[in-house]
Amino acid sequence: MLDCNPSSIPIETKATAATFEKGNHFNGPYRELVGSLLYLAYVSRPDILFAVNCLSQLQEHPTDAAWCALKKILRYLKGTAKMKINYKKCNLYDSDLSLYVDADWGSNSNDRKSISGYLIMFCNNPILWCVNKQKCIALSSTEAEIIALSKGVQDLLWIKGIASEIVCVKKSYSI
């Protein structure tokens, strides 16, 4: 019987996939749970995105520790089920786009790749969020931040283009 009570396996706040690689091999519905949590993280719960992303890297050889971490995420979701993202109505002409970016330099001890994430807000409402392992190895924390900023700005410019097209269409119909 696998002991997954919250105190049996300490999960570090800066845990990576390498944290959960050691241990007994787990045979069970690991992929299914990771897939479900990834869908939930991308659709409505960006707060679990980093943790699920880390655990999704172990799908070939899941361990008991990784399974317990997934169950801890489920307990967290149960305890925060009433939390939600509230979208507020805003004036389309006075709207603003904001980008928040962060990177964790060389956090994966196996391949030394950095993890980056960004959040795009429209009228103070989150509309796009992303957490990725960077494709190249950054040589400094500054480089990791610049790579993360570059990816965030790419999506920001794409969204800005869509928003400007919507405003143009709305103006042409209101005449």
Side-chain angles (χ1 to χ4, degrees), residues 62-117:
T63 62
D64 289 343
W67 178 253
C68 288
L70 285 177
K71 289 179 74 174
K72 195 167 196 171
I73 292 171
L74 290 175
R75 283 191 296 276
Y76 169 78
L77 289 171
K78 184 178 180 185
T80 59
K82 301 247 186 246
M83 293 180 74
K84 58 187 173 183
I85 298 174
N86 288 324
Y87 288 96
K88 298 167 207 82
K89 193 172 184 178
C90 70
N91 184 355
L92 196 58
Y93 300 106
D94 297 331
S95 59
D96 62 330
L97 281 169
S98 303
L99 172 66
Y100 299 94
V101 180
D102 195 17
D104 189 6
W105 177 51
S107 59
N108 190 332
S109 59
N110 287 342
D111 60 7
R112 303 308 298 166
K113 291 186 178 177
S114 303
I115 304 290
S116 61

Side-chain angles (χ1 to χ4, degrees), residues 18-19 30 32 43 45 82-83 85 87 106 121 123 125 134 155:
T19 309
Y30 189 86
E32 292 83 355
V43 170
R45 293 298 299 259
K82 301 247 186 246
M83 293 180 74
I85 298 174
Y87 288 96
M121 307 277 280
C123 296
N125 297 312
Q134 293 180 354
D155 281 347

